[in-house]
Amino acid sequence: MKIRVAGLVVRESRILLVRHHGHSFWILPGGKLEDGETLAGCAERELLEETGVRARAQSLFYIGEFLSGRRPVLDVAFVMRFEEEGTATESDDSIESVRWFPLAGVPEIGPKPLEALLTRHRHDPDALRAAVHHAGAY
């Protein structure tokens, strides 16, 4: 089973998302857990590599699973505390776009279980802000 770790970054009532080439949906920045790496460390590294944003993992926000083709993927996401914005540290040809979205205007997100969680707050950004604030990162 592959483990994918992602980071939920909310700053000034906006959420950071990435879109990969060939996909219509957006996802939280993240990627594959490397050997010897902690989950939190993976979220921090992947966020920096894909977006140039430096942030610290604060608390576990989401655990889910999905199939990538026929391969099961464990999807883990942390609420991240924003530190600074810079330039992506690793060119990732799979990333088509990086964008901050207003909480009230979150687009289609993958995977579906995570989208369902965020959609509950799509029309109530105060509820998402409260959930993220409660986790210590807003």
Side-chain angles (χ1 to χ4, degrees), residues 4 18-30 50 92-97:
R4 180 184 185 277
V18 298
R19 185 173 61 208
H20 289 263
H21 289 285
H23 294 280
S24 61
F25 57 87
W26 295 79
I27 62 174
L28 297 175
E50 291 186 359
D92 188 337
D93 294 338
S94 69
I95 302 290
E96 178 180 321
S97 187

Short mmCIF file of all heavy atoms in Angstrom, two decimals, residues 4 18-30 50 92-97:
data_model
loop_
_atom_site.label_atom_id
_atom_site.label_comp_id
_atom_site.label_asym_id
_atom_site.label_seq_id
_atom_site.Cartn_x
_atom_site.Cartn_y
_atom_site.Cartn_z
N ARG A 4 0.36 8.35 1.00
CA ARG A 4 0.47 9.73 0.51
C ARG A 4 0.18 10.65 1.68
O ARG A 4 -0.81 10.49 2.38
CB ARG A 4 -0.53 10.00 -0.61
CG ARG A 4 -0.44 11.42 -1.13
CD ARG A 4 -1.51 11.73 -2.18
NE ARG A 4 -1.28 13.06 -2.72
CZ ARG A 4 -1.70 14.19 -2.16
NH1 ARG A 4 -2.38 14.17 -1.03
NH2 ARG A 4 -1.44 15.36 -2.71
N VAL A 18 -3.00 22.28 -5.25
CA VAL A 18 -2.24 22.05 -6.48
C VAL A 18 -3.08 21.20 -7.43
O VAL A 18 -3.96 20.46 -7.00
CB VAL A 18 -0.88 21.34 -6.21
CG1 VAL A 18 0.01 22.20 -5.31
CG2 VAL A 18 -1.06 19.97 -5.61
N ARG A 19 -2.76 21.34 -8.72
CA ARG A 19 -3.42 20.50 -9.73
C ARG A 19 -2.33 19.86 -10.58
O ARG A 19 -1.41 20.53 -11.04
CB ARG A 19 -4.37 21.31 -10.61
CG ARG A 19 -5.14 20.40 -11.58
CD ARG A 19 -6.20 21.13 -12.36
NE ARG A 19 -5.59 22.17 -13.16
CZ ARG A 19 -6.20 23.29 -13.52
NH1 ARG A 19 -7.43 23.52 -13.14
NH2 ARG A 19 -5.60 24.19 -14.26
N HIS A 20 -2.47 18.55 -10.77
CA HIS A 20 -1.51 17.80 -11.58
C HIS A 20 -1.93 17.81 -13.04
O HIS A 20 -3.13 17.89 -13.35
CB HIS A 20 -1.41 16.36 -11.09
CG HIS A 20 -0.72 16.24 -9.77
ND1 HIS A 20 0.61 15.92 -9.66
CD2 HIS A 20 -1.15 16.42 -8.50
CE1 HIS A 20 0.96 15.88 -8.39
NE2 HIS A 20 -0.10 16.20 -7.66
N HIS A 21 -0.97 17.73 -13.94
CA HIS A 21 -1.25 17.63 -15.38
C HIS A 21 -2.21 16.47 -15.63
O HIS A 21 -2.07 15.41 -15.03
CB HIS A 21 0.03 17.41 -16.18
CG HIS A 21 0.92 18.61 -16.23
ND1 HIS A 21 0.64 19.70 -17.02
CD2 HIS A 21 2.07 18.89 -15.58
CE1 HIS A 21 1.59 20.60 -16.86
NE2 HIS A 21 2.47 20.14 -15.98
N GLY A 22 -3.17 16.70 -16.50
CA GLY A 22 -4.09 15.64 -16.89
C GLY A 22 -5.25 15.41 -15.93
O GLY A 22 -6.03 14.49 -16.13
N HIS A 23 -5.36 16.21 -14.89
CA HIS A 23 -6.45 16.07 -13.93
C HIS A 23 -7.28 17.35 -13.89
O HIS A 23 -6.74 18.44 -14.01
CB HIS A 23 -5.92 15.77 -12.53
CG HIS A 23 -5.24 14.45 -12.42
ND1 HIS A 23 -5.92 13.27 -12.28
CD2 HIS A 23 -3.92 14.14 -12.45
CE1 HIS A 23 -5.06 12.28 -12.23
NE2 HIS A 23 -3.83 12.77 -12.32
N SER A 24 -8.58 17.17 -13.69
CA SER A 24 -9.47 18.34 -13.62
C SER A 24 -9.64 18.81 -12.18
O SER A 24 -10.11 19.92 -11.95
CB SER A 24 -10.83 17.99 -14.21
OG SER A 24 -11.42 16.93 -13.46
N PHE A 25 -9.28 17.97 -11.22
CA PHE A 25 -9.50 18.32 -9.83
C PHE A 25 -8.21 18.82 -9.18
O PHE A 25 -7.11 18.60 -9.67
CB PHE A 25 -10.05 17.12 -9.04
CG PHE A 25 -9.17 15.90 -9.10
CD1 PHE A 25 -8.13 15.72 -8.20
CD2 PHE A 25 -9.37 14.92 -10.07
CE1 PHE A 25 -7.32 14.61 -8.25
CE2 PHE A 25 -8.57 13.80 -10.13
CZ PHE A 25 -7.53 13.64 -9.22
N TRP A 26 -8.36 19.50 -8.06
CA TRP A 26 -7.26 20.03 -7.26
C TRP A 26 -7.05 19.13 -6.06
O TRP A 26 -7.99 18.45 -5.63
CB TRP A 26 -7.58 21.45 -6.81
CG TRP A 26 -7.67 22.41 -7.94
CD1 TRP A 26 -8.73 22.57 -8.80
CD2 TRP A 26 -6.68 23.33 -8.37
NE1 TRP A 26 -8.44 23.54 -9.73
CE2 TRP A 26 -7.18 24.03 -9.48
CE3 TRP A 26 -5.40 23.64 -7.91
CZ2 TRP A 26 -6.46 25.01 -10.13
CZ3 TRP A 26 -4.68 24.63 -8.57
CH2 TRP A 26 -5.21 25.30 -9.66
N ILE A 27 -5.86 19.14 -5.48
CA ILE A 27 -5.57 18.36 -4.29
C ILE A 27 -4.72 19.18 -3.33
O ILE A 27 -4.10 20.17 -3.72
CB ILE A 27 -4.87 17.01 -4.59
CG1 ILE A 27 -3.51 17.25 -5.27
CG2 ILE A 27 -5.75 16.11 -5.42
CD1 ILE A 27 -2.70 15.98 -5.46
N LEU A 28 -4.68 18.73 -2.09
CA LEU A 28 -3.74 19.31 -1.14
C LEU A 28 -2.34 18.94 -1.57
O LEU A 28 -2.11 17.82 -2.03
CB LEU A 28 -4.00 18.78 0.27
CG LEU A 28 -5.35 19.09 0.90
CD1 LEU A 28 -5.48 18.38 2.24
CD2 LEU A 28 -5.55 20.58 1.06
N PRO A 29 -1.37 19.84 -1.45
CA PRO A 29 0.01 19.50 -1.79
C PRO A 29 0.49 18.33 -0.93
O PRO A 29 0.24 18.30 0.27
CB PRO A 29 0.80 20.77 -1.46
CG PRO A 29 -0.21 21.84 -1.29
CD PRO A 29 -1.50 21.21 -0.94
N GLY A 30 1.16 17.39 -1.56
CA GLY A 30 1.65 16.24 -0.82
C GLY A 30 2.23 15.20 -1.75
O GLY A 30 2.28 15.37 -2.95
N GLU A 50 6.69 21.14 -3.69
CA GLU A 50 5.66 21.38 -4.70
C GLU A 50 5.25 22.83 -4.82
O GLU A 50 4.82 23.26 -5.89
CB GLU A 50 4.42 20.52 -4.42
CG GLU A 50 4.65 19.05 -4.64
CD GLU A 50 3.39 18.22 -4.50
OE1 GLU A 50 2.31 18.78 -4.21
OE2 GLU A 50 3.49 17.00 -4.69
N ASP A 92 8.76 19.84 -10.21
CA ASP A 92 7.89 18.68 -10.29
C ASP A 92 7.06 18.82 -11.55
O ASP A 92 6.11 19.60 -11.59
CB ASP A 92 6.99 18.61 -9.04
CG ASP A 92 6.19 17.33 -8.96
OD1 ASP A 92 5.97 16.69 -10.01
OD2 ASP A 92 5.78 16.97 -7.85
N ASP A 93 7.45 18.08 -12.56
CA ASP A 93 6.77 18.18 -13.85
C ASP A 93 5.32 17.74 -13.80
O ASP A 93 4.56 18.03 -14.71
CB ASP A 93 7.51 17.37 -14.91
CG ASP A 93 8.89 17.93 -15.21
OD1 ASP A 93 9.11 19.13 -14.95
OD2 ASP A 93 9.75 17.17 -15.71
N SER A 94 4.94 17.04 -12.72
CA SER A 94 3.56 16.58 -12.64
C SER A 94 2.61 17.68 -12.18
O SER A 94 1.40 17.58 -12.36
CB SER A 94 3.45 15.37 -11.71
OG SER A 94 3.68 15.75 -10.37
N ILE A 95 3.15 18.74 -11.58
CA ILE A 95 2.32 19.84 -11.08
C ILE A 95 2.06 20.84 -12.21
O ILE A 95 2.98 21.41 -12.77
CB ILE A 95 2.99 20.57 -9.90
CG1 ILE A 95 3.28 19.61 -8.75
CG2 ILE A 95 2.12 21.75 -9.43
CD1 ILE A 95 2.07 19.11 -8.02
N GLU A 96 0.79 21.04 -12.51
CA GLU A 96 0.40 22.00 -13.54
C GLU A 96 0.21 23.40 -12.95
O GLU A 96 0.56 24.39 -13.56
CB GLU A 96 -0.90 21.55 -14.21
CG GLU A 96 -1.41 22.51 -15.26
CD GLU A 96 -2.71 22.02 -15.89
OE1 GLU A 96 -2.84 20.81 -16.13
OE2 GLU A 96 -3.59 22.87 -16.12
N SER A 97 -0.36 23.45 -11.73
CA SER A 97 -0.69 24.74 -11.17
C SER A 97 -0.72 24.68 -9.64
O SER A 97 -1.09 23.66 -9.07
CB SER A 97 -2.07 25.18 -11.68
OG SER A 97 -2.37 26.48 -11.29
#
